[in-house]
Amino acid sequence: MASSKVEITPTELISTIQRSKLPTVLVEGPDDAVVFRKLEEYHSNIDLSILQCGGRSALLKVFDRRNEVANVQLAFIADQDSWVAHGIPQKYQIPDVIFTLGYSIENDLFLDGDIFGMIDPINRPDFLIEMEKISNWFALMLQRIATGGAPTIDLNVARLLDDPAYVTTVMTLAPGEIYPTQLEQDLVRNYQTLLRGKLLLQLAIRHLTVKHHAVGLMDMIAHMEGPRLKRILNAVANLFSPPPAIPLSNPTSVNFNSNSI
């Protein structure tokens, strides 16, 4: 089975697909490739190519140009990212594009592995307090994204929790900007689904008694094959036949009112 470990441009990805002509699953990046090694097990009887795109933007650009490789079977696996709060655009709502149920694959695995349950009960109150602090910041970032902004969200948990001067600066409202109180409440209630997954994992690791590396924790949970990961594997199996679909009881997706942004 072919697998790409190098981030390349959408044009180069399309060229690679055209040359190989293999059924191809496109994933966002290296962390996803760790998780979707499970695809190799369920498709071991066919020569399947798994290509890393270097991010969701590049992956969706390949999707937009998929007519250039119309003779090749393609599947796209992507994080919802901020769309988890205000909806996936209609053009991507087709079986060929398989989105996570939560903000990202980290969120789906957080729930599959019950990572909150892994935290010692004595540490859980501190985890929840810090989660609310991060949600306070992230709600405003999601609103800014939804209104056309491009705030920096690729931050470490420590920056958000241990650098109050930075948080105060970035949280300062612009003229006419209103803080999204309803969205913050949604985030706190449904943080396992809505909060940025990388931050969620970092926060959990911060409070776990036994320390883990984020990728190692994801890999461990992926081997458990929980319902959210199986949902994705099953969706790919339905596109590439054989093998048969993987037995699955689908988890319920959480829907949010777009008016909360």
Side-chain angles (χ1 to χ4, degrees):
M1 177 178 302
S3 178
S4 171
K5 295 183 180 180
V6 179
E7 294 182 5
I8 55 179
T9 67
T11 297
E12 289 169 332
L13 282 165
I14 288 170
S15 177
T16 298
I17 295 167
Q18 288 172 333
R19 290 195 305 271
S20 73
K21 301 189 185 304
L22 294 174
T24 300
V25 180
L26 293 97
V27 300
E28 292 189 17
D31 291 353
D32 299 307
V34 169
V35 171
F36 297 121
R37 274 202 301 259
K38 282 291 175 182
L39 288 170
E40 298 182 357
E41 297 177 19
Y42 291 111
H43 297 270
S44 60
N45 56 338
I46 62 174
D47 196 3
L48 183 70
S49 176
I50 301 176
L51 295 182
Q52 299 173 29
C53 298
R56 191 181 73 157
S57 177
L59 181 147
L60 295 178
K61 286 176 182 176
V62 175
F63 171 83
D64 291 338
R65 296 171 56 182
R66 67 195 183 282
N67 63 306
E68 298 176 34
V69 285
N71 61 328
V72 181
Q73 278 188 296
L74 299 178
F76 302 82
I77 301 174
D79 295 338
Q80 283 204 55
D81 287 357
S82 63
W83 292 344
V84 74
H86 58 266
I88 299 169
Q90 187 68 37
K91 71 174 180 176
Y92 300 122
Q93 294 184 30
I94 64 172
D96 300 26
V97 189
I98 304 156
F99 285 100
T100 54
L101 288 177
Y103 185 94
S104 66
I105 190 61
E106 288 90 347
N107 297 78
D108 287 7
L109 292 177
F110 189 97
L111 286 161
D112 273 355
D114 185 22
I115 294 180
F116 180 74
M118 294 170 61
I119 300 172
D120 191 297
I122 199 170
N123 295 331
R124 291 176 191 170
D126 289 338
F127 169 88
L128 292 173
I129 288 169
E130 292 186 345
M131 176 275 294
E132 290 193 24
K133 289 180 180 178
I134 294 171
S135 296
N136 175 259
W137 162 81
F138 196 56
L140 184 58
M141 299 306 105
L142 282 178
Q143 175 174 267
R144 287 173 176 171
I145 291 170
T147 55
T152 299
I153 61 171
D154 188 14
L155 298 174
N156 189 282
V157 160
R159 184 78 188 274
L160 297 171
L161 296 175
D162 304 331
D163 188 350
Y166 170 79
V167 174
T168 298
T169 299
V170 79
M171 291 286 293
T172 300
L173 298 178
E177 188 175 32
I178 299 173
Y179 184 79
T181 302
Q182 182 60 54
L183 180 56
E184 181 192 20
Q185 293 172 359
D186 288 343
L187 270 164
V188 171
R189 283 195 302 266
N190 301 287
Y191 71 90
Q192 297 182 80
T193 297
L194 285 177
L195 189 60
R196 187 170 188 258
K198 286 183 172 56
L199 289 172
L200 187 58
L201 275 187
Q202 289 173 21
L203 182 60
I205 289 168
R206 181 177 168 110
H207 291 279
L208 287 173
T209 304
V210 178
K211 297 306 178 185
H212 295 267
H213 186 277
V215 174
L217 188 57
M218 289 173 65
D219 195 30
M220 180 184 74
I221 295 170
H223 278 82
M224 296 165 55
E225 294 188 40
R228 289 159 187 81
L229 177 57
K230 278 192 174 180
R231 165 190 163 269
I232 294 172
L233 297 173
N234 193 48
V236 174
N238 287 336
L239 292 172
F240 300 118
S241 158
I246 304 158
L248 170 66
S249 297
N250 273 327
T252 302
S253 180
V254 180
N255 293 318
F256 296 92
N257 190 329
S258 61
N259 292 331
S260 64
I261 297 183

